[in-house]
Amino acid sequence: MIHHFIRAAILTGFAMFIVYLDRTGEMMLYIAPRMELYVKLSALGLYAAAIYQIYAALQKRMGKQAPDCDCEHEPSPSIVKNVLIYGLFVFPLLLGFLIPTGTLGSALASKKGMSLSGSASIERTDSTVSPELDRSESKEINADSDTKAAVQPPSNEEDAKAESGIDTLFPYDEYTETHAAYGKKLYEQALISVPEKQFIETLTTLDLYREAFIGKEVEITGFVYREEDMGKDRLAVSRFAMNCCSADALPYGLMIIWPKALDYVEDEWVTVKGTLTTSTYMDNEIITLDTMKMERVKAPESPYVYPDLDFGL
């Protein structure tokens, strides 16, 4: 009978932990917003299971048999074994309540590997999308576009020339059509601000079509990340992108060139404005911000960004 009460207490503890995370607003530090409803519903299931355990214990105390589900297993007679088994559940539950909740930062980013190439997100967040267009393929697409334009003359010659010119900057295939369309919108902006909602998609587009955006003003907010090979005048402004939970979060960043880079410590939140260029890091050419302005800011309520599931719809 005592085992039923112990199980009920553990199940109730996990349900209360979910309620605690919801009430304190800390649930967003563990899971993506689209998963919150399912986790909250699981708390109801845990409460129901706890009630059944209490019911079974009372039935045994009254000498009655609880409804048989053919899943009952007699507990081990060994006290040590039972303590170890229940400890596997109690210990992480106690850690959840007692240890302050923290956010992912530079320490984990260095272990997971910082992605400084935005187009890498195409493979890392969506397996149905191909990597960056090969430059030779881009030229072929451009030639095809020019051929089609020649076959079908536009009604407005000036508009057609402008449209043809921007199309040349944003070639695409079946996998990058959405990014090309988004790139055209960004290209028209005087200042390209990397938003939270489309953080990954914006970095991906800037990287895919870097030639079109060279010299454009870009603004980005994130935490400071630094590697030894970056030197004294470079750092990365980064965000963790979460799909479902913190376990699958991956760090994405943009390299920053700033003479006073060493004045900023790791995990400090900053907003950076600069012109887009490229530089070489670890034998790879990556998009880089030649910084014009850099200022410290307060960390956002939610430090993570999420793939925009409506992107392109």
Side-chain angles (χ1 to χ4, degrees):
M1 182 180 68
I2 186 66
H3 288 280
H4 287 294
F5 283 116
I6 293 175
R7 294 168 190 168
I10 293 174
L11 291 168
T12 302
F14 277 105
M16 291 179 64
F17 182 60
I18 293 174
V19 174
Y20 166 77
L21 293 177
D22 180 49
R23 294 289 177 86
T24 60
E26 294 182 359
M27 189 176 293
M28 68 175 67
L29 301 180
Y30 292 90
I31 59 172
R34 62 191 178 92
M35 301 298 296
E36 287 189 9
L37 176 62
Y38 304 108
V39 174
K40 292 176 183 178
L41 290 176
S42 71
L44 297 178
L46 291 169
Y47 278 128
I51 292 172
Y52 173 79
Q53 290 296 327
I54 294 174
Y55 169 74
L58 295 176
Q59 288 291 95
K60 278 192 174 183
R61 186 170 184 175
M62 293 186 295
K64 299 180 181 180
Q65 184 67 33
D68 188 10
C69 62
D70 295 328
C71 59
E72 186 70 25
H73 300 281
E74 286 297 323
S76 171
S78 171
I79 296 178
V80 174
K81 187 174 181 180
N82 287 325
V83 169
L84 290 175
I85 291 175
Y86 289 129
L88 293 175
F89 297 93
V90 174
F91 182 66
L93 184 59
L94 289 176
L95 290 180
F97 278 110
L98 299 178
I99 296 181
T101 303
T103 59
L104 306 184
S106 296
L108 187 60
S110 62
K111 295 179 180 179
K112 289 201 171 191
M114 175 66 62
S115 174
L116 294 171
S117 176
S119 59
S121 66
I122 293 181
E123 293 181 296
R124 297 172 74 177
T125 63
D126 190 346
S127 60
T128 64
V129 183
S130 72
E132 180 180 357
L133 276 175
D134 183 79
R135 301 306 174 191
S136 61
E137 292 179 0
S138 299
K139 292 179 181 178
E140 292 177 5
I141 295 174
N142 289 341
D144 291 341
S145 299
D146 293 342
T147 301
K148 291 178 181 179
V151 174
Q152 298 178 346
S155 56
N156 189 314
E157 188 173 348
E158 291 184 0
D159 291 344
K161 285 182 179 180
E163 185 176 348
S164 177
I166 198 170
D167 285 344
T168 301
L169 294 174
F170 298 95
Y172 61 86
D173 60 13
E174 59 181 312
Y175 302 107
T176 56
E177 183 176 1
T178 298
H179 290 89
Y182 183 49
K184 293 176 185 179
K185 294 181 181 179
L186 294 178
Y187 186 77
E188 300 295 333
Q189 299 177 11
L191 173 64
I192 300 172
S193 182
V194 182
E196 283 198 6
K197 184 178 181 182
Q198 296 181 330
F199 187 90
I200 305 172
E201 292 78 11
T202 302
L203 288 185
T204 300
T205 303
L206 292 177
D207 193 27
L208 279 171
Y209 301 103
R210 58 179 67 174
E211 289 85 357
F213 293 109
I214 294 297
K216 287 281 190 179
E217 284 193 20
V218 177
E219 185 177 66
I220 185 172
T221 298
F223 66 88
V224 172
Y225 172 78
R226 184 179 286 106
E227 294 177 354
E228 187 175 342
D229 294 332
M230 290 180 181
K232 298 181 180 180
D233 61 347
R234 292 197 294 185
L235 56 83
V237 175
S238 322
R239 297 289 294 264
F240 268 93
M242 184 191 296
N243 258 325
C244 293
C245 64
S246 57
D248 65 24
L250 296 171
Y252 294 90
L254 187 59
M255 184 71 83
I256 304 300
I257 298 177
W258 184 240
K260 299 179 181 180
L262 290 181
D263 291 347
Y264 298 85
V265 298
E266 288 189 332
D267 296 324
E268 191 172 16
W269 282 79
V270 295
T271 293
V272 181
K273 182 187 295 184
T275 55
L276 195 72
T277 182
T278 60
S279 64
T280 301
Y281 182 65
M282 305 293 284
D283 297 326
N284 294 313
E285 185 182 65
I286 58 173
I287 54 175
T288 306
L289 272 191
D290 191 356
T291 306
M292 299 182 296
K293 182 181 180 181
M294 186 170 180
E295 59 182 356
R296 294 175 174 88
V297 296
K298 183 180 179 181
E301 182 178 346
S302 174
Y304 308 117
V305 292
Y306 311 93
D308 183 6
L309 302 180
D310 295 326
F311 183 65
L313 298 180

